[in-house]
């Protein structure tokens, strides 16, 4: 990618955070986001239900702008919303209002999971687009692909719970953004996250609340843990999400303050629908 030949509009990138909550959050939507590069949009995960449609509407993102999607893993709060995305795009295809194909990138286990969910819940007139114009594309650990105007490298995060992938994205301006999924950074992910400009990391709760929320038992971490890893990896900007929602109105200040105890870079704790310029 030669950034010298790109216009300012093509170089423009932002992270549009559709949801920031963990699986049981009710005051905010489950964690999912759109990564926009120029006029290309990559939707990552879709939360646990049809709330994804409201979040996209509130963010002003049209389904016809979304051509590509990545799904990290098969937990309910990440994958069930995918059915609603497929349904809506298939409806647009059926009415000839969606040009071209829609591609979902995911690991091998998710290919069959998503196909089965859709087959069991969607009518035949919509399922007829599956594997014809709605494409489930399996990606492998370490595989690199050009996706939505970016260079993406997918990787297995090494989850001990359920197979899960993250990605390393090289943006048009050369910045590096890493999505770790919803678990702490493992040794497998460190080689991708080392020196990243942007690191997207879960932070289930604050360290002082660990006895209440039990993050370690659930293979999650606290804000101070995420900051410690980001500092070790010399990351420039740390984005924290996938949190509890008990004190949502104070989350930004409290999580930022705790992460800064161990991280010297910039900490971002977005609210739902917040846009972060990259």
């Amino acid at each position: 990618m030669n950034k010298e030949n790109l216009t300012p509009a093509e170089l423009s990138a932002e992270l549009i955070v559709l949801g920031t909550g963990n699986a049981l959050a009710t005051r905010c939507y489950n964690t999912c986001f759109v990564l926009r590069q120029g006029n290309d949009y990559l939707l990552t995960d879709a939360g646990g239900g049809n709330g994804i449609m409201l979040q996209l509407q509130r963010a002003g993102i049209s389904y016809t702008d979304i051509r590509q999607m990545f799904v990290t893993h098969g937990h309910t709060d990440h994958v069930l919303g995918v059915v609603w995305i497929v349904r809506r795009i298939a409806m647009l295809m059926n009415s000839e209002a969606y040009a071209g194909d829609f591609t979902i990138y995911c690991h091998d286990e998710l290919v069959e999971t998503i196909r089965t969910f859709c087959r069991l819940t969607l009518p035949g007139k919509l399922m007829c687009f599956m594997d014809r114009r709605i494409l489930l594309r399996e990606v492998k650990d370490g595989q690199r692909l050009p996706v939505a105007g970016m260079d993406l490298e997918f990787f297995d995060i090494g989850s001990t719970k359920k197979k899960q992938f993250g990605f390393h994205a090289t943006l048009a301006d050369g910045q590096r953004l890493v999505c770790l999924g919803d678990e702490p950074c493992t040794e497998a992910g460190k080689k991708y996250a080392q020196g990243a400009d942007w690191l997207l990391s879960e932070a289930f709760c604050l360290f002082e609340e660990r006895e209440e929320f039990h993050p370690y038992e659930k293979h999650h971490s606290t804000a101070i843990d995420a900051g410690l890893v980001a500092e070790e990896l010399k990351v420039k900007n740390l984005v924290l999400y996938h949190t509890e929602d008990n004190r949502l109105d104070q989350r930004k200040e409290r999580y930022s303050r705790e992460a800064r105890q161990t991280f010297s870079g910039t900490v971002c704790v977005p609210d739902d629908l917040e846009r972060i310029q990259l």
Side-chain angles (χ1 to χ4, degrees):
M1 185 183 299
N2 186 354
K3 64 181 181 180
E4 293 180 359
N5 297 328
L6 299 177
T7 66
E10 292 170 325
L11 287 168
S12 171
E14 65 178 341
L15 176 68
I16 306 168
V17 185
L18 300 175
T20 57
N22 63 29
L24 297 180
T26 57
R27 298 175 180 87
C28 54
Y29 192 59
N30 304 133
T31 295
C32 53
F33 62 88
V34 168
L35 188 55
R36 181 188 64 78
Q37 175 66 73
N39 293 321
D40 294 314
Y41 294 75
L42 174 66
L43 173 62
T44 297
D45 290 340
N50 69 352
I52 185 62
M53 297 192 293
L54 179 59
Q55 295 306 94
L56 287 171
Q57 182 183 52
R58 287 173 169 170
I61 299 173
S62 170
Y63 292 94
T64 56
D65 288 331
I66 303 172
R67 302 289 171 172
Q68 294 164 312
M69 179 178 190
F70 172 66
V71 185
T72 59
H73 64 295
H75 284 165
T76 56
D77 56 319
H78 296 265
V79 73
L80 293 184
V82 176
V83 176
W84 293 94
I85 294 294
V86 170
R87 175 175 180 156
R88 186 62 182 137
I89 288 178
M91 290 174 64
L92 290 170
M93 290 176 172
N94 192 52
S95 62
E96 300 183 353
Y98 188 101
D101 298 333
F102 175 62
T103 303
I104 301 174
Y105 299 91
C106 57
H107 61 67
D108 56 347
E109 294 179 9
L110 271 174
V111 169
E112 291 309 312
T113 297
I114 294 170
R115 181 179 284 111
T116 299
F117 281 168
C118 292
R119 177 176 55 81
L120 293 175
T121 58
L122 299 181
K125 69 177 182 179
L126 300 183
M127 273 302 293
C128 71
F129 293 102
M130 185 67 72
D131 299 319
R132 185 162 61 92
R133 291 182 59 195
I134 297 176
L135 310 175
L136 289 164
R137 181 164 181 178
E138 176 189 341
V139 294
K140 299 184 181 299
D141 183 34
Q143 183 174 3
R144 296 182 178 182
L145 291 171
V147 178
M150 299 168 284
D151 293 326
L152 259 58
E153 183 172 5
F154 303 95
F155 62 91
D156 189 328
I157 72 166
S159 173
T160 57
K161 294 192 296 183
K162 193 173 187 66
K163 187 172 183 178
Q164 181 170 176
F165 273 29
F167 66 78
H168 171 282
T170 302
L171 307 182
D173 64 359
Q175 290 192 89
R176 298 168 51 234
L177 178 145
V178 176
C179 167
L180 295 173
D182 76 348
E183 293 190 29
C185 188
T186 63
E187 289 302 317
K190 284 184 178 180
K191 69 176 183 179
Y192 296 97
Q194 184 72 46
D197 295 285
W198 297 89
L199 182 64
L200 314 186
S201 173
E202 60 85 32
F204 199 76
C205 65
L206 299 178
F207 185 75
E208 65 189 51
E209 298 173 329
R210 64 193 184 282
E211 296 301 325
E212 177 182 358
F213 294 106
H214 309 288
Y216 305 128
E217 296 174 19
K218 301 170 184 174
H219 301 265
H220 290 304
S221 62
T222 67
I224 204 167
D225 298 322
L228 191 64
V229 171
E231 184 70 15
E232 173 193 344
L233 297 174
K234 295 180 171 54
V235 169
K236 294 180 181 177
N237 301 277
L238 175 64
V239 180
L240 299 180
Y241 54 24
H242 200 267
T243 77
E244 51 75 31
D245 63 343
N246 280 15
R247 297 167 67 180
L248 197 61
D249 60 331
Q250 301 174 38
R251 180 181 63 180
K252 186 184 292 287
E253 189 275 331
R254 296 174 73 225
Y255 278 67
S256 297
R257 182 175 65 241
E258 179 170 294
R260 290 191 187 109
Q261 293 179 34
T262 53
F263 179 58
S264 59
T266 301
V267 179
C268 302
V269 183
D271 294 319
D272 284 13
L273 304 177
E274 191 166 331
R275 292 172 178 256
I276 300 172
Q277 300 301 313
L278 302 176

